[in-house]
Amino acid sequence: MKAMAGFEIRLAAADDVEGIVELTGREFRAASIDARIQDMFGGASWIDMKGEVIREELRRNPQGCFVAIHEGSLAGYITTAVNKTASRGVIANIAVSSACRGRGIGSALLEKALAYFKAQGLRQAKIETLETNGTAARLYTSIGFKEVVRQIHFAMPLD
Ligand SMILES: CC(C)(COP(=O)(O)OP(=O)(O)OC[C@H]1O[C@@H](n2cnc3c(N)ncnc32)[C@H](O)[C@@H]1OP(=O)(O)O)[C@@H](O)C(=O)NCCC(=O)NCCS
């Protein structure tokens, strides 16, 4: 448990899952590739797809998923996965409620995940973001991540 500047970071619990999924639906649209595919071609809801992914991340690696609590409410979360072969911790998803941004919650969640990776004896950490997400990219480089490569996503309808 860690208390910092009006918020607390703790392990995510089963009771947090639906709040995390709900926060994701509110806050993650601009960071979602599936939302762009949905905008271009229609089809399944990006929120449903993301919710499924987040629930699975929380189920698979509960000891590496953390929430930020501000004034008793969920303010943000981070999910992680471990690639043992690569000796690498992967930050799968991170989001902070818009009302709580810019006060260090995102960086505290990242630091918590990095501390978890180190405690697991892992040698590297990895995270991805979209080219359009300048805030995230600045945050990641400010805590030590180095850009590796940029990727282009393509999609097409099959009807
Ligand atoms: C990326 C994200 C998690 C950062 O969370 P955060 O709690 O705002 O992070 P921090 O406060 O630690 O740092 C954010 C940076 O934005 C700056 N900032 C200042 N005011 C801000 C505001 N009102 N809103 C957002 N960012 C602000 C911060 O100062 C900081 O920059 P700095 O390190 O150069 O000072 C958050 O913007 C978010 O949830 N975005 C939507 C989901 C998303 O994009 N997730 C990442 C996908 S890869």
Side-chain angles (χ1 to χ4, degrees), residues 23 27-31 77 92-98 100-110 127-130 133 135-136 138-140 142:
L23 188 151
E27 308 291 354
F28 213 88
R29 175 173 245 290
Y77 72 89
N93 280 291
I94 174 171
V96 171
S97 179
S98 352
C100 297
R101 287 187 196 163
R103 59 171 76 191
I105 293 178
S107 50
L109 286 165
L110 288 162
I127 192 164
E128 295 174 6
T129 196
L130 299 186
N133 200 342
T135 303
R138 277 191 300 279
L139 177 58
Y140 304 158
S142 77

Side-chain angles (χ1 to χ4, degrees), residues 1 12 16 23 27 31-32 53 58 60 67 78 83 93 102 112-113 121-122 126-127 133 149:
M1 304 267 265
D16 297 314
L23 188 151
E27 308 291 354
S32 166
V53 167
L58 289 158
R60 286 175 74 103
V67 291
I78 192 163
N83 180 335
N93 280 291
K112 190 78 179 176
L122 300 170
K126 181 171 177 282
I127 192 164
N133 200 342
V149 69

Side-chain angles (χ1 to χ4, degrees), residues 65-107:
C65 297
F66 304 95
V67 291
I69 304 295
H70 174 63
E71 293 178 351
S73 299
L74 181 71
Y77 72 89
I78 192 163
T79 58
T80 71
V82 169
N83 180 335
K84 285 195 178 146
T85 308
S87 190
R88 185 181 296 155
V90 178
I91 294 169
N93 280 291
I94 174 171
V96 171
S97 179
S98 352
C100 297
R101 287 187 196 163
R103 59 171 76 191
I105 293 178
S107 50

